[in-house]
Amino acid sequence: MRKKTKMIHGGITGDKATGAVSVPIYQVSTYEQDAVGQHRGFEYSRTGNPTRQALEAVTAELENGKAGFAFGSGMAAITSVMMLFNSGDHVVMTDDVYGGSYRLVTSVLNRFELDHSFVDSSQPEKVEAAIQGNTKALFIETPTNPLLKITDLRKMKEIADKHNLRLIVDNTFATPYWQRPLDVGADIVLHSATKYIGGHSDVVAGLVAVNDEQLAEDLHFIQNSAGAVLGPQDSWLLMRGIKTLALRMEAIEANTKKIVEFLENHEKVSTIYYPGRKNHPGHDTAASQATGFGGMISFDVGSEELAEKVISKVKYFTLAESLGAVESLISVPAKMTHASIPRDRRLELGIADGLIRVSVGIEDAEDLIEDLEQALED
Ligand SMILES: *Cc1c(COP(=O)(O)O)cnc(C)c1O
């Protein structure tokens, strides 16, 4: 099956008992047993639920993995993956990972003595230099937020193999439609499915896929033990989202390219961050490991005042955190997602005061461009 077909026919589809074309929402916590200890594959919905199982099966297929897991949020997925490690272990992480991942390792997992180092993973030699005797994993996000930094996954795989580390990839921005890290040898791929996979700003969820039976068993043990599972209704919503993932990603990327072209020709816009631009750092790597560049753009309008003015004037871009939805979203990272980082450190990372981040939706590109044009006018 090719990838667009998988989104429709992958995993478990429909309902054999009734012929229903859509997987039913099994809104149930427990299951009748035929005799003591004799069940029909399901005992209790934390351990397994048919709707969640169908989502987990299609997740595995989309990522070319052996097993998939659905969690109550992206952070629940990441937390559960981190539970694979022991106190005293060390993880090397991309330095501009999602803020919630940063908070998890620096303010929660540190209390359990799971150690970490943050490095600019777009520079493989820095990753290698950060490896210690107790390092057990590389946790890589590519592309990142908001500067769309690219890490070379094949290089990360080489480093992971050399030092016997697990390679974990947060694939939220690229989606399995564009990028499948398990194909280049990653051990674990994870998503905030709240974003593109759900795609409609109506569900919070996390997904994980792995390619190894033992890892799958270990992760299922943690999923069942920690219990951060996704409910049946939300599992169904994600499956519905997956059915149009290909269409949405194509439409979003086509719009994004047009908007980038508009921004490139606008005098008030200085730096533009988009991995699809030839001069974007890591463009060649992005092109070699993903089949598309996605729908996230960041651009600098020079000042906080202008950034705030643009935000207040746009009509079709909703001022909101999050990303990856059918509706276009806009934000000012310095004031929103990255407000907790001290200004000096923020500027060091390249997140300027006038930086605007856009998550492009599937509206008419012409409307989106006209909207940005009027918002950028004096
Ligand atoms: C949103 C996000 C997360 C966290 O996911 P939630 O569903 O909000 O818990 C993790 N990684 C990335 C890259 C994200 O954008």
Side-chain angles (χ1 to χ4, degrees):
M1 248 191 281
R2 293 175 179 82
K3 63 184 181 180
K4 284 184 191 167
T5 310
K6 276 186 185 172
M7 285 166 199
I8 308 299
H9 297 288
I12 297 162
T13 53
D15 177 38
K16 284 210 174 66
T18 62
V21 172
S22 156
V23 174
I25 300 170
Y26 283 90
Q27 194 69 53
V28 62
S29 61
T30 194
Y31 305 80
E32 184 187 12
Q33 307 201 356
D34 296 330
V36 178
Q38 259 182 53
H39 58 78
R40 294 171 229 168
F42 297 95
E43 297 164 89
Y44 187 65
S45 279
R46 170 162 35 74
T47 317
N49 170 284
T51 315
R52 193 179 89 221
Q53 192 182 63
L55 168 66
E56 291 175 331
V58 72
T59 300
E61 279 208 37
L62 294 183
E63 289 286 3
N64 291 337
K66 285 203 170 76
F69 300 92
F71 295 91
S73 68
M75 287 322 303
I78 294 169
T79 302
S80 300
V81 164
M82 289 304 199
M83 295 290 109
L84 289 165
F85 303 102
N86 298 312
S87 82
D89 288 350
H90 173 257
V91 179
V92 176
M93 299 180 80
T94 300
D95 60 359
D96 53 350
V97 276
Y98 177 71
S101 308
Y102 179 89
R103 182 173 53 203
L104 177 71
V105 297
T106 56
S107 304
V108 181
L109 297 178
N110 60 322
R111 294 193 279 110
F112 299 88
E113 283 161 7
L114 183 63
D115 199 8
H116 58 267
S117 300
F118 288 107
V119 298
D120 178 354
S121 59
S122 68
Q123 297 183 262
E125 61 286 358
K126 291 201 173 163
V127 174
E128 188 131 32
I131 292 166
Q132 311 174 357
N134 58 344
T135 305
K136 293 289 155 58
L138 305 180
F139 186 105
I140 304 298
E141 194 177 307
T142 184
T144 60
N145 171 36
L147 300 179
L148 290 315
K149 269 164 75 172
I150 303 294
T151 293
D152 187 328
L153 292 175
R154 290 184 187 91
K155 290 227 170 81
M156 293 304 111
K157 170 65 177 165
E158 274 170 34
I159 295 171
D161 279 351
K162 188 168 150 198
H163 298 275
N164 199 19
L165 312 174
R166 293 279 194 207
L167 176 57
I168 305 166
V169 180
D170 184 333
N171 202 26
T172 301
F173 271 44
T175 82
Y177 185 64
W178 298 129
Q179 178 170 278
R180 285 167 305 283
L182 298 183
D183 286 356
V184 299
D187 298 286
I188 300 173
V189 58
L190 57 90
H191 291 274
S192 168
T194 311
K195 317 295 167 55
Y196 288 107
I197 292 180
H200 295 73
S201 304
D202 54 11
V203 57
V204 171
L207 294 173
V208 177
V210 301
N211 224 344
D212 175 271
E213 307 277 3
Q214 185 59 50
L215 205 46
E217 210 173 290
D218 294 348
L219 208 51
H220 184 253
F221 185 78
I222 289 167
Q223 185 191 38
N224 188 40
S225 302
V229 294
L230 191 66
Q233 176 95 28
D234 288 348
S235 295
W236 186 88
L237 278 169
L238 285 195
M239 282 191 279
R240 182 174 161 124
I242 286 169
K243 287 177 188 174
T244 58
L245 181 63
L247 296 177
R248 285 185 288 111
M249 294 317 286
E250 293 285 356
I252 284 170
E253 196 182 61
N255 276 355
T256 305
K257 284 183 175 152
K258 290 183 190 160
I259 292 173
V260 166
E261 218 175 280
F262 161 76
L263 293 171
E264 278 171 344
N265 294 310
H266 201 289
E267 53 172 14
K268 289 196 184 133
V269 176
S270 51
T271 320
I272 301 167
Y273 301 89
Y274 182 61
R277 298 182 80 215
K278 293 224 159 43
N279 58 358
H280 185 83
H283 166 81
D284 292 342
T285 303
S288 78
Q289 65 191 15
T291 47
F293 301 107
M296 300 298 300
I297 318 166
S298 292
F299 57 99
D300 192 352
V301 294
S303 72
E304 187 183 316
E305 292 70 42
L306 184 53
E308 289 195 9
K309 202 180 101 187
V310 169
I311 299 259
S312 70
K313 284 174 80 181
V314 284
K315 294 184 306 233
Y316 301 132
F317 292 83
T318 305
L319 174 61
E321 292 185 8
S322 198
L323 59 109
V326 286
E327 54 280 294
S328 293
L329 303 175
I330 196 164
S331 66
V332 179
K335 289 266 150 162
M336 297 168 69
T337 44
H338 293 67
S340 61
I341 305 174
R343 186 167 182 271
D344 287 349
R345 172 71 187 138
R346 196 164 41 70
L347 294 178
E348 219 173 81
L349 290 170
I351 302 166
D353 297 331
L355 193 75
I356 293 177
R357 188 194 82 173
V358 166
S359 168
V360 178
I362 61 169
E363 302 93 337
D364 274 304
E366 292 69 23
D367 283 330
L368 296 176
I369 289 168
E370 279 171 23
D371 197 20
L372 286 172
E373 194 160 29
Q374 64 80 24
L376 280 160
E377 260 166 31
D378 288 319

